[in-house]
Amino acid sequence: MNCATLEGTYQFAKHFCNYKDFYTKSNDLLFSKLGIGTFNKEPYKEENYVFHYIEGIKQAVRSGINLIDTASNYRYGESEKEIGTALQELFASDEITRENVIVCSKGGFIQLSYPFPKNPYEWINENIINTNLAIAEDIEIDQHCMTPDFLEYSCRKSLENLQLSCLDIYFLHNPEMQLARLGKEAFYEEIEKIFIRFEKLADNGLFKYYGVAVWNAFILDADEVEHISLERLVQIAQKVGGENHRFRYIQTPFNIAKTQIYSVNTQKVNNESCTLIQA
């Protein structure tokens, strides 16, 4: 198999049976409740490229973590490449198999490349606009693009960086960045186009499931510009993919400073107000 499986994730969890309640089942996969992420702020700093995550990824997996999260733009692709190196070393040493680990990435931000291009605007023109992945108007504040063609390109680039043939979950990354430009209805029309493409990419084996990763979009009040309705996303997924659609996951903050997904009614389901968790 080229992706995580129930049997594979179960066999992985069995090695850590002393970790009480550390694994949870979702969509026929066993997830470690703690995952490892690979984001690093201030990407222009040179040390972000000197100090890598390879040994950290390997140690996390050896310690019972089977959920690895990244994105195409994290450290301009270097995070994905280092995850790929770490996984290949773990595979080669027979410590794990591909079926044991759940690998997630995201597309939406323009990843540029490392070493950082001298002129990022020229890089965008050469690699995105001149290749017909998007037009200039599709790119928000010189960093975010979510045309279906660009997202497919980003997904294929992520697989190349990770040295994998299939992702377990692929997230649309911070789509709320486009809401002010598009307006609500045009935004959801764009989401429908994206979900159509994502269902096709899932059919073609590029990923098993897809989702949406946001910052504040699910916890803002409904009248806020960047608010996203989870119910509408599900309705769109059902429209384009039927009851067996592959839209199964979201990412959103929940911590001591951001409790809203549990404590504030920011969503509606069947016209009833509720928290994101309830939705």
Side-chain angles (χ1 to χ4, degrees):
M1 292 290 292
N2 59 2
C3 58
T5 64
L6 176 59
E7 179 62 22
T9 54
Y10 173 62
Q11 291 300 326
F12 180 89
K14 283 171 64 175
H15 291 294
F16 305 93
C17 58
N18 58 317
Y19 290 7
K20 181 175 172 56
D21 298 326
F22 187 63
Y23 298 93
T24 186
K25 185 179 179 183
S26 173
N27 294 316
D28 291 328
L29 294 174
L30 284 179
F31 288 73
S32 57
K33 292 182 180 179
L34 180 67
I36 184 165
T38 53
F39 176 70
N40 201 333
K41 295 180 72 174
E42 301 181 273
Y44 301 101
K45 286 190 173 182
E46 183 64 24
E47 58 262 35
N48 281 353
Y49 308 104
V50 175
F51 299 110
H52 58 64
Y53 295 144
I54 296 172
E55 292 304 316
I57 294 292
K58 290 162 67 175
Q59 186 59 44
V61 173
R62 288 167 177 157
S63 302
I65 290 173
N66 75 336
L67 175 60
I68 302 171
D69 181 75
T70 189
S72 60
N73 64 309
Y74 288 176
R75 298 166 64 240
Y76 300 112
E78 293 303 289
S79 290
E80 288 183 328
K81 291 175 184 177
E82 289 165 8
I83 291 168
T85 297
L87 289 175
Q88 291 303 317
E89 291 179 4
L90 290 167
F91 297 156
S93 61
D94 292 326
E95 293 178 74
I96 60 167
T97 66
R98 175 64 184 92
E99 293 91 336
N100 296 150
V101 289
I102 300 163
V103 184
C104 318
S105 194
K106 313 179 191 75
F109 285 99
I110 295 171
Q111 56 267 61
L112 298 177
S113 59
Y114 173 74
F116 190 77
K118 292 181 179 179
N119 189 326
Y121 301 101
E122 287 183 3
W123 190 99
I124 290 171
N125 283 331
E126 292 174 8
N127 291 275
I128 299 175
I129 295 174
N130 294 347
T131 57
N132 298 317
L133 295 175
I135 60 175
E137 289 74 18
D138 295 320
I139 299 173
E140 184 67 12
I141 53 177
D142 301 320
Q143 60 178 302
H144 193 273
C145 180
M146 61 180 202
T147 65
D149 287 342
F150 173 75
L151 292 169
E152 179 173 343
Y153 157 83
S154 292
C155 182
R156 293 183 183 277
K157 185 67 176 176
S158 290
L159 289 169
E160 178 186 325
N161 288 342
L162 291 161
Q163 301 181 60
L164 300 175
S165 60
C166 179
L167 287 161
D168 299 293
I169 309 169
Y170 191 63
F171 289 100
L172 174 60
H173 201 180
N174 286 32
E176 66 269 26
M177 289 191 66
Q178 301 276 352
L179 265 163
R181 178 179 69 86
L182 292 169
K184 291 282 187 184
E185 293 310 309
F187 171 81
Y188 287 112
E189 289 173 6
E190 289 300 310
I191 293 294
E192 182 171 331
K193 295 174 186 176
I194 292 165
F195 281 13
I196 289 171
R197 181 66 63 90
F198 279 6
E199 290 288 341
K200 180 180 178 181
L201 296 181
D203 286 339
N204 292 339
L206 273 70
F207 46 78
K208 191 171 183 179
Y209 301 115
Y210 63 91
V212 173
V214 304
W215 188 241
N216 289 323
F218 289 134
I219 58 176
L220 292 169
D221 290 336
D223 58 355
E224 295 280 351
V225 171
E226 293 191 344
H227 175 272
I228 292 177
S229 163
L230 179 59
E231 182 181 48
R232 287 201 66 173
L233 296 183
V234 173
Q235 290 169 344
I236 292 168
Q238 290 171 334
K239 177 182 177 182
V240 304
E243 289 304 312
N244 294 320
H245 63 82
R246 271 67 67 93
F247 174 53
R248 303 290 181 88
Y249 295 97
I250 61 172
Q251 271 193 27
T252 188
F254 180 52
N255 53 52
I256 196 168
K258 285 182 174 287
T259 65
Q260 292 97 321
I261 70 168
Y262 182 81
S263 60
V264 182
N265 289 353
T266 60
Q267 295 288 314
K268 281 189 176 181
V269 177
N270 297 326
N271 291 319
E272 291 189 16
S273 295
C274 59
T275 67
L276 179 63
I277 289 288
Q278 290 168 332

